[in-house]
Amino acid sequence: MSSNKEVTDQIMTYVGGENNVNDLYHCATRLRFTLNDKSKFNIKELEKMPEVLGAVNSGDESQVIIGANVGVYFQEIVKNYHIANDGKSEKQASSSDKKDKNIFKRAINVLVGIMAPIIPVLIAGGMFKVVLALCSLFGMNQKGTNYQILSFIADAAFYFLPFIIANSAAKKFNTSPYLAMLMAGVILHPNFAAMVTAGKPIALFGMPIRLVSYGSTVIPIILIVWFMSYVDKFAEKVSPNMIKTMLKPLLILLITAPVALIIIGPLGSLLGDGLFAVINFLDAHMPWLVPTLMGTFCPLLVMIGMHVSLTPLAALELSKYGSETVFGPGMLSSNLSQAGASLAIAFKEKNAKAKQIALSAGVTALSGITEPALYGVTLKYKRVLACVMASGGIAGLYSGLTGVVRYSFGSPGIFTLPVFIGKNPNNIINALITAGIAVVVSFISTYFFAVIDNKKEVNDTTKAKSTIEVHSLKGVVDGQLVPLENVNDQVFASGSLGSGVAIYPSNGMIVSPIDGIISMVYPTGHAVGITTDDGQEILIHIGINTVNLKGRGFKVNVKQDQKVKAGDPLVQVDLDLVKKEGFDPTVMVLALNTPKENIKVNKTKNITIDDNLLNISSLG
């Protein structure tokens, strides 16, 4: 099994390297990159990695879907790579933004980029509210000190939401997050809040200020920080270098704060009121519509990572009414439909490995995380996506007709069903029935209508055995042949990365053993991947733990996607440096997608780059 470092190095290679990354953050299941050149985002190679569930370009973002371990890999990348939020120059940023002239699409991408990083905050506050509701249900006195303290802890995540959004928005708009949070402090200041509560008209130098309570709001602070980003650029240009440190932040505050209070904040509040009017209309006249649509089309939104764009609407509705129907009921229906479909495939599938994947994905979907089910089951088998969407729509329709609402944030699943406990005692009952409909209908429809073509797999295997092709690999370096099981590294010796052979080198010139295309080059130069025209994948790993040299002593002579011939130089290694630093220089040559029994290794003790190293028998 590859280490976290090797996995993240490979991911960074396939997104175009450190210099191609303008920004990186993560949500619950995926790494979200903003790249300077999206053409370098290698979806095909990323999806070959066992640790990656999928990869997709969504608007301005290039997303690598990981699952539950996304936080681990994110921290590994942050630790080993220098990725700044403002890594893209102003010129690059404006050029990139102009590429997409669809204003609506750009707005959605910005909204997703702002909201996705703060979802853990919303979940923390939401689940704390669930705990508080359960405490009240089991007898805690709501007028007591304990309840009051727990209550303001839970409310803090929502009341001070503008501070959190300001930080995230500042990173998206390439401006100072600290000054952005200062703007949030202006609209949330206790003195201003007291003026709003008093209800008496106020004005600044004769200009009226609309009395708005900005606690728990979303849209006003996003618009304020967006405006501030332009003020930031203006202040940068007009401030003399000698006094820029003092003058620039003063100008930003002096211009942005009054405009925020007089114009932008009230405008954002009016936009919010408009959205409330739409939500009220739908709840009053078509309460079934939104949960049905969400239950049906949520898998498609998740595929492109745009489901996050609905979070502001849910947050707005929660802050205004204490419950929401935009996101929770429909997503509960969709998530558990994914679970039902995966469990059905686990029962129906005959292949042991596929059965295990489906069962694991089903359990994960029950807990509210659906990417493993979506990419491992729903999109893999014929008709399953249709079953999931139909089942989610039916369950969503029931939740809409019965008025199911969600009282706080939390990815809808069986473990977060308490988010549906609230003022209406029937709400949790109908949420449970919604969940049951989703799982049962999806399970039954998938079991009877999904297509698992085991017969085709058998026929393909039989056909494949009819012809055998043999590929010969030359030596990659002069040296002494070492059986792979004798290598001083358990991962390589066990064959878990692939079967092959090792060479203890006598010089530092590593060459290609076969004709093919460079499919991967580690930034540190210690490993190179080659793929032949018929799909044979060869990994050349230079030294043991030499990744820790961080490229010192390695001169890479090839680039990703470059065609190479057998004998072409790949990497020049300073063996003296490698040995001096205490690392084993043994070079491993592995056939990644070939069974051990199909590999025949040369028995010669010494090898040169002109000798035959091993033969690979492939079924074709």
Side-chain angles (χ1 to χ4, degrees), residues 117-126 157-158 161 164:
I118 71 170
I119 286 177
V121 175
L122 299 176
I123 291 175
F158 299 98
L161 191 59
I164 302 162

Side-chain angles (χ1 to χ4, degrees), residues 371-435:
E371 272 87 352
L374 180 63
Y375 293 98
V377 178
T378 305
L379 299 177
K380 180 179 177 183
Y381 297 90
K382 293 180 180 178
R383 302 179 185 169
V384 175
L385 179 59
C387 293
V388 168
M389 292 177 68
S391 305
I394 292 170
L397 176 61
Y398 175 85
S399 71
L401 291 174
T402 55
V404 173
V405 299
R406 183 173 64 161
Y407 291 102
S408 58
F409 276 98
S411 184
I414 58 171
F415 299 117
T416 54
L417 280 170
V419 298
F420 295 94
I421 297 174
K423 298 175 183 177
N424 180 4
N426 291 325
N427 193 69
I428 182 61
I429 296 173
N430 287 321
L432 287 167
I433 295 173
T434 298

Side-chain angles (χ1 to χ4, degrees), residues 135-136 138-148:
C135 289
S136 178
F138 288 107
M140 180 178 283
N141 181 9
Q142 294 189 13
K143 296 182 179 180
T145 304
N146 291 335
Y147 185 91
Q148 296 297 323

